[in-house]
Amino acid sequence: MTAVEGPALKVPAPDRAPSGSRSGAGADLAARAAQAADAAARHAARADRDRALHPEVERAACEAGFARHFVPGRWGGAQGTFSELLRAVAGLGEACASAAWCAALWAAHGRFAAYLPPAGQRELWATSPDVRIAAGVMPPAGSAEPTGDGWRLQGEWECVSGAESADWLLLAARDTSGAECPARVFLVPREQAAVRDVWHSTGLRGTGSNTVVVAPVTVPGHRTFALTGLLHGTPGPGRARCHSVPAHMGAGLLFAAPALGSARQALKVWSAWACPPAGAAAPARAQASVRETLARSSAEIDAAALLLEQAAWRADTAAVSAAAVTRNRRDAAFAADLLVSAVERLFRTGGRHARDDSGCLQRCWRDVHTAAAHGVLRMETAADAYASAVCA
């Protein structure tokens, strides 16, 4: 047969396997996250019903160190790694995906805030690194125009997770002055914004991802920075590795981490039904379809975890390049697809109890589907970016 020639693919060589070692800060985060998970598990059903996290859960997650995880060391932060955060978020997600989602975002937004000028960082973290920051960054909404030494900001931002109980808000807005930088990010005290209660989602109900409304307010110049620097991952004074990687190198894996934890919990709940203790009448595992579900779904969840671990290692360690960024986007999106497939199969074979809207399995099913629907985890977008990088 004659070989068919086509464009050469610049497919990156396989990465080394991610290390299982953890730094002291990462081990501490994992241990404290396990304690926060106890509180999250107790209140998971209530968070789903009330569409907000219980204050005890918010307090426990903050005390565990999520909010300070990416805060620069000079402000008392951990300046941690994506690998450490991935494991801790997934562990918390086994108890409550909504709690894990908010905890992951608190950490991520601390990374964003490291782009503030020094005076802005001081105002934010001088008292404590354990500051809860909610954000509406992509796409930019609202408008901003320079005025004196600051900016006049106004607008509405949708789906701002944890906005109600945040200490501060990071909000991206378009610069309407016609300057070269079309969008900026602004740090606004929570009390200067209103929260419109509109979050009635299928899943991740406890995240309280409501709409933030800001009437015209003046934001001083030390509380703003250009969005392009964050997106591209611009190094700067005092910025560690975790602060200077491009946004897309870490975003997808952190959005997928709560879904990983929720899928693991779904498998536990399903397995308790499918594989009851010895002596139970007519075990479901006797059915070939149930055995196949167990094998396939557990393998998909394990495969998703490996993809996310590899993406986290890449964000922590690998050389920053278009190929590395798009590979992380691809792996996070594909991991989300695997988790949806695994949980969908568990739900469809889980017996009558799986359909109970108060049951854990159904909540996990809803949470995983909702997390995977986030724009950062859309496979078609990730595939376009990956193909553009490797086929260039």
Side-chain angles (χ1 to χ4, degrees):
M1 295 178 64
T2 303
V4 178
E5 296 184 355
L9 299 183
K10 297 186 290 186
V11 179
D15 293 323
R16 70 164 177 82
S19 170
S21 64
R22 305 181 187 182
S23 69
D28 289 345
L29 177 64
R32 290 193 295 263
Q35 297 175 357
D38 291 338
R42 289 195 303 273
H43 294 289
R46 180 173 179 176
D48 193 63
R49 182 186 68 243
D50 294 349
R51 298 181 299 111
L53 297 182
H54 191 279
E56 180 188 353
V57 177
E58 293 180 326
R59 185 167 53 252
C62 197
E63 290 174 352
F66 284 102
R68 69 168 57 196
H69 184 71
F70 283 137
V71 173
R74 66 181 177 276
W75 305 116
Q79 219 166 262
T81 67
F82 287 92
S83 297
E84 294 160 351
L85 185 60
L86 169 65
R87 298 183 187 109
V89 170
L92 184 57
E94 292 187 43
C96 176
S98 290
W101 184 271
C102 290
L105 290 180
W106 291 341
H109 299 157
R111 194 178 83 84
F112 295 178
Y115 280 80
L116 286 165
Q121 294 184 36
R122 184 179 304 110
E123 185 174 1
L124 179 63
W125 289 313
T127 302
S128 170
D130 296 315
V131 177
R132 296 198 294 264
I133 306 170
V137 174
M138 292 298 293
S143 62
E145 57 182 10
T147 172
D149 293 333
W151 294 77
R152 186 173 176 83
L153 174 72
Q154 62 184 325
E156 297 186 6
W157 290 260
E158 297 180 343
C159 298
V160 180
S161 300
E164 187 66 56
S165 62
D167 302 306
W168 290 83
L169 302 169
L170 279 174
L171 304 172
R174 298 177 185 87
D175 179 355
T176 58
S177 67
E180 292 183 2
C181 178
R184 300 187 66 83
V185 180
F186 298 87
L187 181 69
V188 179
R190 164 64 186 86
E191 58 268 20
Q192 289 188 357
V195 176
R196 186 179 299 151
D197 186 2
V198 296
W199 184 246
H200 297 274
S201 175
T202 301
L204 296 175
R205 294 175 176 174
T207 61
S209 301
N210 290 302
T211 296
V212 166
V213 182
V214 175
V217 297
T218 298
V219 181
H222 66 268
R223 284 206 252 118
T224 181
F225 59 89
L227 178 60
T228 52
L230 170 63
L231 296 180
H232 297 156
T234 307
R239 290 182 195 155
R241 163 75 186 207
C242 63
H243 304 133
S244 58
V245 297
H248 276 299
M249 202 161 185
L253 69 93
L254 295 183
F255 279 116
L260 173 61
S262 192
R264 285 171 169 166
Q265 179 64 14
L267 181 61
K268 290 179 183 177
V269 172
W270 181 91
S271 297
W273 163 79
C275 306
R285 65 173 178 269
Q287 303 174 30
S289 62
V290 170
R291 295 197 297 271
E292 183 176 354
T293 292
L294 175 62
R296 285 186 177 274
S297 289
S298 61
E300 286 173 334
I301 294 169
D302 286 350
L306 290 172
L307 283 170
L308 294 176
E309 286 277 359
Q310 186 79 344
W313 171 82
R314 206 177 287 123
D316 290 329
T317 308
V320 175
S321 65
V325 172
T326 58
R327 194 169 183 179
N328 267 22
R329 295 181 66 179
R330 178 204 68 181
D331 287 358
F334 191 64
D337 277 1
L338 287 173
L339 296 172
V340 168
S341 176
V343 174
E344 182 69 22
R345 189 182 298 105
L346 295 172
F347 183 77
R348 291 174 65 183
T349 60
R352 287 176 295 177
H353 78 285
R355 281 69 170 175
D356 182 359
D357 64 2
S358 65
C360 181
L361 182 55
Q362 197 213 74
R363 184 172 67 250
C364 291
W365 177 75
R366 289 188 282 106
D367 288 344
V368 170
H369 274 272
T370 301
H374 193 281
V376 171
L377 297 176
R378 289 177 183 167
M379 192 65 208
E380 62 272 22
T381 306
D384 286 345
Y386 180 72
S388 296
V390 302
C391 298

